Structures are given as C-alpha cells and as structure tokens.
C-alpha cells in the first residue's frame, strides 16, 4: 500500500471512529488542480468529482464489480474484471486470486454447505461459463473449473438455495433463467424471462425466485433497438423503456411480472422475505415491492434534481430490516433509507470510492462496498500512468450512527460538485455569436505522447512519441491558439470515452463489464442498454439545433448497385492499401459507406461518410468533409453542430497490413490540418468553433495521469498563443457546446461541470489557417515479419494476430509496448506496468 493510501486509510478511519474533523471538501480547489489527490485529501477524478471514501479496507488490482461474503462474514470473494479475488475482511489482505477470462456484469456466490465459489464469466463473443473455484476457510483458492455454455448467453446474477443443492442463474443475453444441479454441473430447468435478466433474489423458503429484467417485457408496439443481437423496446431517443421484476414459482416455473423503473439492476429481499428492493439505475429511483401483494411503490433518491446520473445499481437490507442501503455509482455514494411510517425516508449517505457497484451488510451491521474505479489510481510506477492500469477498492464502514449519515450526506454533495477558483475568460459564451461548432473526435493518445516537446506545457519529454515531425498541425494549432495541458478523458477506453462525449453519461451496464463488453463493444452506442435516459447532449426540445453526424454511432456499409447502402461487417471491409488506392484515384465514394446503429439518430446521420474504422485513411475523411462543407456553403444550410470521427491515430501497431504507427498518426494530423484549413477559409469561419479531442488516452503513457490527453480549441474567438492549465475533462468540453447554444444540461455530470470559458476571448480574429504536410510518408507500410528479427519481428507477429476488425479488442499491454518500441527504438526500456 502506498504512503498516500495508508494515510487516507488511517485518517479516514480515525475520523469515522472518533469524530475527529475530516478534511473539508467544501474547500475551493485551485482552478489548475491536477488530477489525483488534493490538499483536502479527496481525489479529483475524470468525472469532474472528488472521491474520498470512508474506511478504505483494500485496494484491488483490477475492476471489482461484485462480491459475496462467506457464511462467517470473514472472507469476501470478488468478481474482478479478469480474475476472482478473495479478501480477508478483518485485515483487508488479499489471500487468493485466480485469473479468469473477462467476467460478467455481476454474479458471484459462495455455495452453502461446500467449499466452492461460483462466478459468472462472459467474454466479448463467447463462449461463456460459470466458474467453480474451491477455497479454504482462510480464503486461499484452488484450481478453477468451468461449466461451459454453448453460444453466448452471458450468465449474470446467481442465487443458491439455502442448502446449496440448486443454483439459479440469469442468462442475460438469452432472456432465460436456468436451474442447475451444482453437484452434477447440469441444467435441470429452463424458464423464459423478460428482456435482459440481470439480478436474482430467492425467497427464504426457496419457493419464489425474483428477477430484474433491465429491458422489461417485450412490447410489439414500441420502437426497437438492438442490444447484442436482441431487439429491445426503446423511446424516441433510443434508450430502453421501463424494466420489470419477474417472480417465478420455483416448483412450477410459472411467473408474474410488475413494471418498475428504467434499467433495474440489483435487487435484495428483506430477511423475512416481505419486501423486495430494486435499484432502477437509469431512473435514479428504488422500487419497493410488497411480495405478498406484488405491488410496487417508488422511492426517489433526489427530489430536488431529476437529471439522471445517480445510477443506483445495488441494494442491501440490514438484517433487522430497519435500514436499506443503495449503492449510487454515479454519485460515488451509498444512500441509506430508514422506515418512516408506511414508507421509507432518506436517512443520509456514505461516501464511497469511484463508482460503487456492489454492497453487502454483515451480521454486525458493517457496510461493505466495492467500487470499480477506486480512487482513480492508474500509476504503473512513479511518474508513469496508463488509463488501463485499473485499481478498485473495498471499503468497510461499521454500522453508521445517524449523525454520521447526516455528515456523510453533506460530504457526498460537496464531492459530487467540487468548487474551483475562477477560470476566467468569457462569462456568457452564447453572446459570442458562434453558430457553427465542429466537434472532432480522435483516438487514444496521451498528452505526453504528442505535445511534450512544447516547452511551456506541463510535460515529460522522455515520453514523447509523435512529436512535431509527425504532428505538425497539432503543434501549430496548440501554439497558435490554446495549449491545454491539464485536460483529461473522462473514459478509460473507447467504450466509455465516446459515451461521455456523446451523452455526458455512462451507464453502470458499461462500467460493470468494461473489459468484456459482452453485449458488444458499444463505443458507438450500439447497445440500447447503455444509452442515456436523457438521450444525447444536443437533444434539447426547448432549443432544437441542426446536427449532422459524420462518423459517430456508425458501422461499416458499402454502396450497392441500386444506390442504397448495404450492411457489411468489419471483416468484409477492404484493406487499408485498397482504400488508399481508391483515395489516390478519386474513386473512394464507390466503396465506402456506413450505417447508423442508433435508429433514433438516423435522420441526422450521413451514411455516405466513412465509418469509424482504422482501415479507412483519414485523408478520405478530410476529402469527404470538404465536399460537405462546399455543399453547405452553397446551399446556406450549414449545421449548428457537426460531429466528425477521425480514427487513424489509433494505429494498428506493426500489423503488416497497415502503415507504420507514425504514418497513421501523421495521416490523422494532416487530415485535421486540412479540415481546419477548409473551415477557416469558408464563409462560416467568423461564426465557427472547432473543438478537437481524443476519445481516450489508453494507448500511451503520461507522467500526470493515464487519462491526460490531447485537446484543441480553434476559432476566431479562441485566445491566441496561450497556455491554459485549467482542470478540464470531456464533460467540460461537452458543457461548453451546450452553453454556446444555450442548451440545457441533460445529465447530472453535465450540470455539475463548468464550461471552458477560459479558452475564449470576446475579441475575434478570423485569420485563416494553412495546413502543414507532415514530413512522414503516409503510406509507409509496416514490413512483413519475415523481413525482421528479434523484438521487431515479435512486434509484427503479435500485431498481425490482433483483432483489428473489432475496435480496441486487442491486448493493450502488448500494443502499448509495440507502439513504444516502434517510436523510441526496440532496445529502449518500456515504462513498466505493475
């Protein structure tokens, strides 16, 4: 344990137990605060929140999403991204770990009357399995075994009978509940469930099994959008409709259902079985179900602010039934309810780690909480950070007194919206008269990788990989306008990053299975279970604006002989070299198309623009954009908001079928320069703004944070030759666009974020920009492995094996090393990961 974490543990423990005054989270942070630990002991994280959990018990390397306690409440078994971990609850010490494939959204249980732990395992495309792991009373783990399933059913929630003779499992993708004889490892019963069954709870007598269905019941009359291969009923914005609770008679398999809130997640029964609590993740409510009458009432977690973002996702009753605890992932808290006459009343809150997803109460009333992202620690070694260095935490808070719950509520509210000193700049962005915003989303670079050769920024030039010779336009634009050296991606990888940028929201459904993405890697919002209940950030009915999507929410297609687009998958796309040849010949429009994966957005989606695939050079995107801008100028109908994806800076490592990494990054740079030049020489320029950002920073190393990334602000009303070190994130950039158009923030995260006022000036300067051609050849292809030796040959072989047809479905630790050695020399030591 690091010294900083030990101090946090000891300090917060003493504060909670003795009443010593805790750090004041109401203190105003300096506007240029760096991510990480602050003077008030809180951790500033990339969701623009402070995190200061009470009673940190254990740091868990990985992404812990669910846990169970043994019968003695001394050992916790944790479902942990790509492992199962056991923790001694008295000391917080990790006592066992077995490596698994990627884990499911939830599902881990101790089998009663045995020495087995059962857990749910789900990969990107299957096969899936239930894990069976023997354990000793000390928590040490034995050899893992699997009960495998055909296809890709995605096992999720689990529930054992009291004697351990039967296990129930929710098959999340198959819309099915199965009963298993755990001794024989055989399925004995199958029941059809509602859509996307998730969490399970079994009545004390074993006679009724309760299931939360995140997609609710089928509705033929509703609009449909896919989640995995399953169509789900959705609203006009593409978000799933109300979920349901289904109660199965375990003897007959008959069931009945009751509607609850949006995206029901965790459920829990009171000890006497009379009350079922349901966490409605996208509704920010809890449903309380009387199991005798099977009727539901609703508890609202916040009556003063109805914007979504609390994300309640797990619930647990104290043994005496006098308290109900609700984990709120979006607020980094546990809300605590107590009985109040015939209902329940909010009694207070407990601060947790970053995004709690599981909560259990032991027989002494101690509250145990697992938080997926811990305190945001992504340091692999001192001064070397990567966003895929994951660390979650387990916290354990003794049965809190009413005064502690009251104090905790205040801490939670302060931490959710930290205050900063003034950032300066233009106060009212809407008064600048900006009518056209061009929002360009790129891929996967850290600040130090690209801009650490600019002296005035906060930098570690030893980590530079794609400097001025490769990215002259990024450098020229950062120097001409504003160098943002304290900007962070809110997402660790593309799965999160694009969702933050398009919605200002990331569901617990995404956070729980970030590494697995078992219903599909929905960076493009192609999984309706992940779409925000508030829709997309520009969808304000009070002030509708004209939006055009060039690349986001896309999948590949190809023009058919009838002029219509024909769906294809990534494997059916041409090779990079073939698209490059079409670009050179001017025939690329004959072979490129895309389709919109969010039906609600099809009216504003351009299906003739290239999809977000690294196989298509960004030079084609620049050419396609220029054609559209020409047409908009001629017709006088340019959109207010144009969102463009440019993907070449992702690279394909040393894949022999792709250009060298520096060539792909240079392709991205020159395409960006061309787009900026074209806008700056158009009639739209005096009333335009260009915002550029990476969706994440996962494929690189940075000395401040694994999420610190490249961001640019360009336009007549942007300051010139300026350094801006204000703390900003994806959320601040999205909030900036909303303020420019006077759009209402649509989520709590956006409402709590400040706009990037400091980058603007009231004095406009509309001089144009001229793109700079990089000195790097764009079509310099990676050599074949047969032409190489040693580590360079290994890099080619490993890159060729990676699945470039599924964005980010590659071993990042391997790819990052390949990119490092390619840029720095194959004999240069890589900044080591833990």
């Amino acid at each position: 344990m690091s010294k900083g974490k030990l101090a946090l543990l000891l300090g917060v423990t003493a504060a909670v137990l003795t009443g010593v005054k805790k750090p004041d989270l109401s203190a105003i942070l300096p506007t240029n605060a760096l991510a990480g630990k602050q003077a008030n002991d809180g951790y500033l994280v990339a969701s623009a929140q402070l995190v200061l959990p009470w009673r940190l018990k254990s740091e868990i390397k990985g992404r812990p999403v669910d846990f169970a306690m043994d019968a003695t409440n001394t050992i916790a078994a944790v479902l942990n991204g790509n492992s199962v971990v056991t923790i001694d609850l008295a000391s917080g010490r990790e006592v066992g770990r077995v490596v698994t494939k990627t884990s499911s959204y939830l599902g881990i249980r101790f089998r009663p009357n045995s020495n087995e732990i059962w857990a749910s395992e789900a990969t990107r495309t299957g096969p899936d399995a239930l894990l069976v792991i023997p354990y000793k009373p000390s928590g040490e783990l034995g050899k893992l075994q699997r009960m495998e399933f055909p296809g890709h059913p995605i096992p999720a929630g689990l529930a054992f009978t009291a004697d351990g003779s039967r296990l129930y499992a929710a098959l999340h993708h198959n819309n099915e509940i199965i009963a298993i004889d755990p001794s024989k490892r055989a399925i004995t019963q199958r029941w059809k469930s509602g859509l996307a069954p998730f969490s399970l709870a079994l009545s004390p007598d074993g006679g009724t099994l309760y299931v939360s269905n995140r997609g609710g019941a089928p509705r033929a009359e509703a609009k449909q959008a896919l989640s995995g291969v399953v169509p789900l009923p959705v609203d006009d914005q593409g978000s799933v409709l109300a979920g349901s609770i289904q109660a199965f008679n375990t003897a007959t398999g008959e069931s009945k259902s009751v509607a609850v809130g949006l995206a029901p997640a965790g459920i829990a029964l009171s000890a006497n079985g009379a009350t079922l609590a349901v966490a409605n993740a996208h509704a920010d409510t809890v449903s309380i179900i009387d199991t005798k009458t099977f009727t539901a009432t609703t508890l609202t977690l916040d009556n003063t602010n109805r914007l979504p973002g609390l994300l309640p996702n797990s619930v647990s009753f104290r043994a005496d039934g006098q308290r109900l605890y609700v984990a709120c992932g979006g607020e980094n808290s546990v809300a605590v309810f107590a009985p109040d006459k015939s209902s329940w009343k909010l009694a207070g809150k407990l601060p947790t780690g970053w995004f709690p997803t599981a909560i259990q109460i032991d027989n002494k009333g101690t509250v145990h909480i697992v938080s997926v992202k811990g305190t945001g620690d992504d340091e692999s070694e001192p001064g070397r950070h990567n966003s895929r260095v994951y660390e979650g935490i387990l916290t354990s808070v003794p049965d809190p007194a009413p005064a502690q719950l009251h104090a905790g509520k205040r801490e939670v509210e302060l931490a959710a919206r930290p205050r900063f000193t003034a950032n300066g700049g233009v106060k009212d962005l809407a008064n600048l008269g900006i009518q056209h915003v061009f929002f360009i989303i790129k891929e996967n670079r850290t600040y130090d990788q690209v801009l650490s050769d600019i002296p005035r920024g906060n930098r570690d030039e030893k980590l530079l990989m794609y400097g001025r010779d490769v990215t002259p336009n990024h450098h020229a634009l950062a120097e001409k306008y504003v160098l943002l050296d304290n900007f962070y991606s809110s997402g660790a990888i593309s799965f999160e990053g694009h969702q933050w940028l398009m919605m200002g929201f990331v569901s617990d459904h995404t956070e729980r299975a970030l590494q697995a993405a078992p219903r599909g890697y929905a960076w493009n919002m192609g999984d309706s279970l992940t779409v925000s209940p508030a829709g997309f950030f520009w969808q304000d009915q009070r002030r509708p604006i004209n939006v055009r999507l060039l690349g986001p929410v896309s999948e590949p297609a190809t023009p058919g002989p009838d002029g219509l687009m024909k769906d294809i998958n990534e494997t059916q796309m041409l090779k990079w070299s073939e698209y490059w040849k079409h670009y050179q010949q001017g025939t690329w429009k004959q072979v490129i198309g895309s389709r919109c994966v969010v039906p609600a957005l099809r009216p504003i989606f351009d299906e003739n623009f290239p999809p977000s695939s690294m196989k298509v050079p960004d030079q084609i995107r620049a050419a396609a954009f220029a054609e559209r801008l020409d047409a908009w100028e001629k017709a006088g109908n340019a959109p207010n908001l144009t969102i463009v994806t440019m993907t070449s800076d992702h690279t394909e490592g040393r894949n022999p079928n792709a250009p060298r990494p520096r060539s792909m990054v240079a392709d991205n740079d020159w395409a960006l320069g061309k787009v900026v030049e074209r806008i700056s020489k158009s009639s739209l320029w005096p009333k335009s703004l260009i915002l550029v950002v990476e969706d994440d920073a996962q494929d690189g190393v940075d000395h401040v944070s694994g999420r610190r990334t490249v961001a640019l602000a360009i336009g007549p009303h942007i300051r010139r030759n300026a350094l801006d070190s204000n703390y900003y994130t994806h959320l601040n950039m999205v909030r900036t666009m909303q303020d420019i158009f006077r759009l209402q923030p649509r989520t709590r995260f956006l409402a709590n974020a400040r706009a990037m006022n400091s980058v603007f000036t009231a004095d406009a300067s509309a001089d144009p920009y001229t793109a700079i051609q990089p000195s790097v050849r764009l079509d310099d292809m990676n050599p074949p492995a047969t032409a190489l030796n040693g580590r360079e040959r290994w890099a080619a072989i490993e890159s060729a094996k990676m699945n470039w047809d599924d964005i980010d479905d590659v071993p990042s630790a391997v790819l990052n090393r390949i990119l490092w050695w390619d840029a720095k020399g194959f004999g240069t030591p890589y900044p080591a990961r833990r």
Side-chain angles (χ1 to χ4, degrees):
M1 180 179 291
S2 67
K3 292 182 180 179
K5 291 292 184 68
L6 181 59
L8 171 65
L9 170 61
L10 296 176
V12 175
T13 299
V16 172
L17 293 181
T18 67
V20 175
K21 184 179 180 181
K22 295 184 286 297
D24 188 359
L25 293 179
S26 66
I28 298 176
L29 300 177
T31 189
N32 61 348
L34 299 178
K37 192 173 183 181
Q38 306 301 306
N40 60 13
D41 284 348
Y43 287 78
L44 184 59
V45 296
S47 52
Q49 299 168 312
L50 282 169
V51 170
L52 183 57
W54 284 0
R55 290 296 298 267
L56 194 156
K57 174 70 72 172
S58 305
E59 298 157 343
I60 304 171
K61 294 182 178 66
R63 289 184 62 90
V65 296
D66 195 11
F67 76 105
M69 295 188 295
D70 70 345
T72 65
N73 292 164
T74 58
I75 299 294
V78 182
L79 190 67
N80 188 40
N82 54 15
S83 62
V84 169
V85 176
T86 46
I87 304 291
D88 182 320
L89 286 172
S91 65
R93 183 173 60 92
E94 180 178 314
V95 290
R97 179 181 288 252
V98 293
V99 175
T100 69
K101 299 177 184 177
T102 47
S103 62
S104 186
Y105 301 94
L106 76 166
I108 188 164
R109 290 290 181 267
F110 287 86
R111 180 187 174 192
N113 301 318
S114 78
N115 68 335
E116 294 175 350
I117 297 168
W118 285 63
S120 295
E121 180 181 70
T123 61
R124 183 76 60 89
T125 57
D128 303 324
L130 288 177
L131 308 176
V132 186
I133 308 168
Y135 73 98
K136 296 179 180 179
S138 62
E140 295 176 67
L141 298 176
K143 185 177 180 180
L144 177 152
Q145 300 176 45
R146 284 184 172 85
M147 179 180 172
E148 294 190 343
F149 299 111
H152 187 36
I154 310 181
L158 305 177
F160 275 104
T161 54
D163 61 2
S165 65
R166 179 178 291 188
L167 171 66
Y168 297 100
L171 299 186
H172 187 56
H173 203 193
N174 282 12
N175 300 331
E176 189 176 35
I177 306 299
I178 57 174
I180 296 170
D181 182 332
S183 298
K184 297 180 179 179
R185 313 271 171 90
I187 298 173
T188 59
Q189 291 174 297
R190 293 180 179 272
W191 304 323
K192 197 65 179 174
S193 71
L195 300 171
F198 195 71
S199 184
L200 303 182
L202 189 62
S203 63
D205 63 5
T208 306
L209 179 72
Y210 298 95
V211 181
S212 63
N213 296 312
R214 284 189 78 110
R219 304 184 192 191
E221 77 285 358
K223 296 179 180 179
Q224 305 286 312
L226 286 177
S227 174
V229 298
V230 181
L232 300 181
V234 297
D235 61 20
D236 290 341
Q237 297 168 148
S239 184
V240 290
L241 298 177
S244 66
I245 294 297
Q246 201 167 3
F248 285 92
N249 183 312
T250 57
T252 66
E254 295 177 348
S255 71
K256 56 185 178 181
S257 296
V258 61
V260 288
L262 299 173
I267 61 177
L269 274 169
S270 58
N272 61 8
T275 305
L276 181 77
V278 184
N280 300 312
H282 288 192
D284 287 351
T285 63
V286 176
S287 293
I288 301 295
I289 297 176
D290 182 321
T291 59
K292 184 176 181 180
T293 63
F294 207 53
T295 55
T297 57
T298 301
L299 303 178
T300 300
L301 285 163
D302 188 345
N303 288 311
T304 63
N305 181 355
R306 295 302 180 93
L307 291 176
L310 292 178
L311 290 162
N313 61 73
S314 181
V315 286
S316 186
F317 284 96
R318 198 168 65 181
D320 62 2
Q322 295 303 297
R323 275 192 183 161
L324 171 64
Y325 294 88
V326 185
C328 299
E331 194 186 43
N332 312 319
S333 74
V334 168
V336 184
F337 286 88
D340 180 39
K341 299 179 181 178
S342 60
S343 185
W344 293 78
K345 182 179 180 179
L346 183 67
K349 294 183 178 181
L350 305 175
T352 70
W354 193 6
F355 215 98
T357 56
I359 183 168
Q360 299 283 338
I361 317 301
D362 68 19
N363 50 17
K364 295 181 180 179
T366 299
V367 185
H368 303 280
I369 311 151
V370 153
S371 300
V372 179
K373 298 187 282 189
T375 58
D377 183 16
D378 58 16
E379 192 171 53
S380 58
E381 63 173 338
R384 300 292 182 265
H385 298 256
N386 179 267
S387 70
R388 283 201 177 191
V389 176
Y390 297 134
E391 181 179 272
I393 59 173
L394 169 69
T395 55
S396 298
V397 180
D399 196 6
Q404 290 174 308
L405 293 178
H406 180 75
K409 183 174 182 291
R410 179 176 181 274
E411 285 192 34
V412 167
E413 291 168 351
L414 291 171
R417 190 171 187 171
R419 296 188 300 159
F420 295 87
T421 55
N423 58 351
V426 175
K427 184 176 181 180
D428 190 342
L429 299 183
N431 284 341
L432 293 174
I434 295 171
Q435 295 180 9
H436 308 286
V437 174
F438 300 90
F439 186 28
I440 300 173
I441 303 173
K442 307 185 320 89
E443 294 280 334
N444 296 26
R445 304 273 68 90
T446 71
Y447 179 93
D448 276 337
Q449 278 185 303
V450 178
L451 297 178
S452 61
D453 54 349
I454 299 180
R456 60 182 172 177
N458 181 2
R459 65 193 184 121
D460 183 345
E461 197 170 1
K462 294 188 295 294
L463 302 179
L464 181 72
M465 293 170 61
Y466 306 113
R468 194 178 298 271
D469 59 329
V470 181
T471 57
N473 291 285
H474 283 76
H475 284 72
L477 291 166
E479 291 170 333
K480 179 181 177 70
Y481 294 100
V482 177
L483 177 64
L484 295 163
D485 69 345
N486 197 21
F487 189 100
Y488 302 84
S489 163
S490 298
I493 62 176
S494 297
F495 196 4
E496 284 182 301
H498 281 267
Q499 295 186 36
W500 283 119
L501 290 170
M502 297 288 281
M503 302 184 296
F505 177 93
V506 171
S507 171
D508 68 300
H509 202 257
T510 298
E511 294 290 7
R512 285 177 176 275
L514 193 74
Q515 293 164 278
R519 290 188 84 107
Y521 192 71
W523 61 273
N524 59 0
M525 275 57 72
D527 179 357
S528 55
L529 286 173
T530 68
V531 174
S532 166
F536 297 84
F537 78 80
W538 60 85
Q539 292 175 323
D540 186 343
Q541 294 180 355
R542 299 178 309 112
R543 298 185 65 86
I545 61 172
N546 184 359
V547 181
R548 198 69 173 155
L549 303 179
L550 308 182
V553 298
S554 67
E555 284 188 345
T558 188
D562 55 0
L564 300 177
M565 288 297 170
K566 176 184 176 183
D567 291 347
I568 60 174
N569 59 44
E570 191 91 8
T571 61
Q572 296 171 294
M573 294 184 70
L574 303 179
K575 294 180 179 179
W576 186 95
S577 58
E578 294 174 291
Y579 286 119
W580 181 252
K581 184 177 180 180
H582 279 288
Y583 168 67
Q584 292 178 309
Q585 295 175 346
T587 56
W588 54 268
K589 283 183 279 189
Q590 300 173 14
V591 294
I592 284 179
S594 57
R595 74 177 187 90
C596 181
V597 300
V598 181
L601 299 182
R602 285 175 186 163
I604 61 173
F605 180 85
D606 188 333
E607 64 180 15
N608 294 298
F609 198 85
S612 295
S613 166
M614 285 91 71
K615 293 181 179 179
V616 179
D618 277 340
Q619 296 306 302
I620 294 179
R621 294 185 175 90
F625 175 84
E627 286 189 356
R628 282 147 182 80
L629 190 56
D630 288 344
W632 295 335
E633 273 198 287
K634 184 176 181 179
N637 62 354
N640 301 116
L641 173 65
T642 304
I643 306 180
V644 186
T645 53
M646 302 176 73
T647 58
S648 290
D649 59 335
H650 185 292
T651 84
E652 291 193 18
R654 291 297 294 266
N655 178 12
N657 290 319
R660 292 177 182 267
R662 62 192 282 112
S663 294
M664 295 192 75
V665 175
D667 170 34
N668 177 267
D669 176 81
W670 197 16
L672 174 64
K674 288 179 176 179
V675 168
V676 174
E677 176 178 343
R678 180 65 190 87
I679 298 169
S680 75
K681 294 179 178 179
S682 74
S683 59
L684 308 179
W685 181 233
K687 296 183 178 180
S688 291
L689 169 68
I690 305 169
L691 295 174
V692 184
V693 74
E694 308 286 315
D695 71 321
D696 61 63
Q698 63 175 303
D699 287 341
V701 180
D702 189 90
H703 84 282
V704 174
S705 165
R707 295 168 183 258
R708 194 172 70 129
T709 193
V710 177
L712 301 170
I714 304 156
H717 281 285
I718 298 299
R719 294 165 60 204
R720 303 302 173 101
N721 193 32
L723 171 66
D724 192 318
S725 297
N726 286 289
Y727 175 85
Y728 292 137
T729 71
H730 280 170
L731 290 162
N732 302 102
M733 185 171 280
V734 174
R735 177 62 189 266
T736 301
M737 290 183 279
Q738 291 185 314
D739 279 15
I740 285 169
F741 294 120
R742 296 197 192 280
L743 302 177
Q744 182 180 8
R746 300 187 60 75
T747 68
R748 286 172 181 267
F749 303 107
L750 291 172
N752 291 343
R754 58 181 180 169
M756 298 168 60
N757 305 78
S758 61
V759 306
F760 293 90
T761 176
D763 299 324
S765 178
D767 53 312
Y769 176 78
T770 299
I772 306 169
Q773 182 174 350
S775 60
V776 177
R777 266 183 54 204
L778 305 191
D779 60 348
D780 184 12
M781 301 297 287
N782 283 315
T786 53
L788 304 170
N789 296 301
R791 183 177 279 171
E792 195 170 5
R793 177 184 175 89
W794 166 85
I797 293 171
E798 290 300 312
S799 296
K801 291 191 301 187
M802 294 179 185
N803 180 19
W804 300 109
D805 292 328
D806 192 347
I807 190 168
D808 288 346
D809 187 24
V810 297
S812 63
V814 177
L815 175 61
N816 286 355
R817 283 170 166 78
I818 291 171
L819 294 178
W820 172 267
W821 286 319
D822 174 78
K824 309 290 280 188
F826 280 85
T828 305
Y830 179 76
R833 289 167 61 92
R834 281 182 295 204

